[in-house]
Amino acid sequence: MRRLIAILPLVLFVGLGLFLWNGIGKDSTTIPSPLIDKPMPDFRLTALLDEQRILTAADLKGRPALLNVWATWCPTCKQEHAQLNRIARDEGVTIYGVNYKDDRAKAQVWLDKYLNPYALNIFDPEGKLGLNLGVYGAPETFILDAQGVIRYKHVGAVDQRVWSQLRERMKQLEGN
Amino acid sequence: MLRFFCLVALFCFSGLAAAAIDTYEFSDDATRERFQSLAAELRCPKCQNQNIADSNSPIAKDLRVELHRMLEDGADDDQIVDFMVTRYGEFVLYRPRVSNQTYLLWYGPAALLLIGVVVVLVVSGKRKKVEPGKPKSGLSDTEKQRLDQLLKQEEDK
């Protein structure tokens, strides 16, 4: 008993140390999304390339896909665009786009210029869909499963390293 | 010293001057006050050390617009907080709600303090027990006898 009490401070110290150690180096700028495992929020917005076409959450169902929030005013989006093109073209992954708080004409010119990796593009000029998705800075990329449920969120550019993580997660979805 | 105070004052007021300026119309003063207090309580997801009232980032502006709209639509505080939390998580609250995910945050420091107090009490309690009465030499009876013998021998010499 006495010995137990004697090592108690050590145990407490080690416990506290591990707890604090765990927090070191964590990226505090990425906040966990409360939307994981929730269905895509409802929306009714026009397609970027076709003003007459109305898109809803039902249009995003059918197969696992990436949902990429982007804008022409966002420099990081430009950086990741080539990677998105490659993923869509070489790996046959479905990528949906949310054109976030942007100008329709500018966005169309951008897609002409840098190629269009998106199967569909939702035009969200007021950022209402972005707000419901908890977007706080473009680019953000979500993984949707075949039922249109949000499974994962990545904040920041999709580069090769990030893509290999996302691909792993998408494979798991297809396996289920 | 005076210069120091001037500098502090300057920093304080420069904060105020940098605060975001929008113009919102409120239906009454109570709503305006609620807007101000909620905007001060909600943390900006992008610029994490500022509340949405102080931040100039686009997302903070959007959240202020949304806050204003909800207040004017007659939403109560809980509805507004729920709206923010379902989109951005507990993270947006400077005072997160008590839940099994935030127990450590709410009660951890108090628990550590309690442990500290208990340790101090136990340690000081032990000290006190020794003090009253005769000072203990820490020698056993046989050791005492032997010491007495040795001292006697010394005296006899």
Side-chain angles (χ1 to χ4, degrees):
Chain A
M1 189 61 195
R2 280 189 68 88
R3 190 174 292 175
L4 211 66
I5 290 173
I7 63 164
L8 198 63
L10 183 68
V11 172
L12 283 174
F13 174 75
V14 170
L16 193 64
L18 284 176
F19 174 69
L20 295 176
W21 175 260
N22 192 29
I24 293 177
K26 267 197 185 158
D27 182 8
S28 62
T29 57
T30 306
I31 59 177
S33 173
L35 289 151
I36 305 298
D37 295 332
K38 302 248 168 70
M40 184 73 193
D42 280 332
F43 62 91
R44 266 185 76 79
L45 291 165
T46 62
L48 175 65
L49 300 178
D50 180 2
E51 271 181 69
Q52 307 303 317
R53 185 171 174 197
I54 302 288
L55 297 175
T56 66
D59 290 300
L60 307 182
K61 289 182 185 171
R63 67 190 114 170
L66 293 180
L67 182 80
N68 178 245
V69 181
W70 66 284
T72 56
W73 48 259
C74 143
T76 321
C77 300
K78 199 167 184 172
Q79 217 176 69
E80 72 171 358
H81 197 79
Q83 179 70 14
L84 294 178
N85 274 321
R86 204 195 60 71
I87 295 167
R89 192 186 55 223
D90 297 351
E91 309 202 31
V93 174
T94 307
I95 306 178
Y96 302 122
V98 175
N99 184 234
Y100 176 61
K101 294 171 72 168
D102 208 347
D103 177 77
R104 194 190 287 272
K106 270 189 197 164
Q108 287 173 349
V109 168
W110 157 294
L111 290 180
D112 275 344
K113 203 167 161 190
Y114 301 114
L115 300 180
N116 183 0
Y118 303 106
L120 281 174
N121 237 314
I122 303 154
F123 183 53
D124 184 24
E126 286 160 39
K128 284 271 185 264
L129 174 59
L131 189 77
N132 287 337
L133 278 169
V135 170
Y136 57 89
E140 289 189 12
T141 304
F142 296 83
I143 296 179
L144 304 181
D145 70 9
Q147 284 74 46
V149 176
I150 295 167
R151 292 297 184 179
Y152 187 73
K153 166 173 162 171
H154 171 76
V155 179
V158 176
D159 54 17
Q160 191 57 43
R161 191 181 54 79
V162 171
W163 167 237
S164 51
Q165 288 169 8
L166 295 178
R167 183 170 46 197
E168 253 339 280
R169 287 176 189 274
M170 289 186 83
K171 267 188 192 150
Q172 283 169 10
L173 289 181
E174 277 161 10
N176 291 337
Chain B
M1 202 60 196
L2 185 66
R3 197 181 276 179
F4 172 75
F5 279 117
C6 287
L7 210 61
V8 169
L10 197 67
F11 275 118
C12 292
F13 289 106
S14 66
L16 285 181
I21 299 160
D22 325 287
T23 45
Y24 291 111
E25 302 260 328
F26 291 95
S27 43
D28 52 62
D29 282 348
T31 316
R32 181 193 306 275
E33 272 168 32
R34 280 176 65 211
F35 177 87
Q36 278 158 357
S37 75
L38 280 163
E41 282 283 312
L42 291 166
R43 181 171 172 183
C44 167
K46 186 70 190 171
C47 32
Q48 308 186 348
N49 294 327
Q50 285 183 303
N51 56 28
I52 64 168
D54 287 342
S55 171
N56 283 315
S57 82
I59 186 64
K61 186 170 193 299
D62 286 358
L63 291 179
R64 285 196 298 272
V65 169
E66 206 58 30
L67 176 61
H68 176 255
R69 184 188 62 76
M70 290 185 82
L71 283 170
E72 289 297 325
D73 286 352
D76 63 33
D77 289 9
D78 282 345
Q79 283 170 326
I80 291 169
V81 167
D82 275 347
F83 175 90
M84 299 293 174
V85 168
T86 52
R87 283 158 184 77
Y88 294 96
E90 288 292 326
F91 181 89
V92 292
L93 303 179
Y94 268 118
R95 284 183 299 154
R97 296 179 291 195
V98 179
S99 76
N100 54 10
Q101 286 190 347
T102 54
Y103 280 150
L104 199 61
L105 190 63
W106 276 106
Y107 303 121
L112 280 178
L113 182 67
L114 198 68
I115 291 171
V117 168
V118 168
V119 166
V120 168
L121 287 179
V122 166
V123 168
S124 66
K126 267 186 189 157
R127 290 240 175 96
K128 263 178 206 153
K129 261 182 221 161
V130 180
E131 276 164 20
K134 293 172 193 166
K136 285 179 184 167
S137 62
L139 297 177
S140 71
D141 285 349
T142 46
E143 282 169 336
K144 264 184 204 156
Q145 278 172 11
R146 173 112 178 92
L147 181 64
D148 287 343
Q149 268 177 9
L150 286 170
L151 284 173
K152 234 176 231 171
Q153 280 173 11
E154 201 66 18
E155 274 168 24
D156 289 349
K157 268 182 192 172

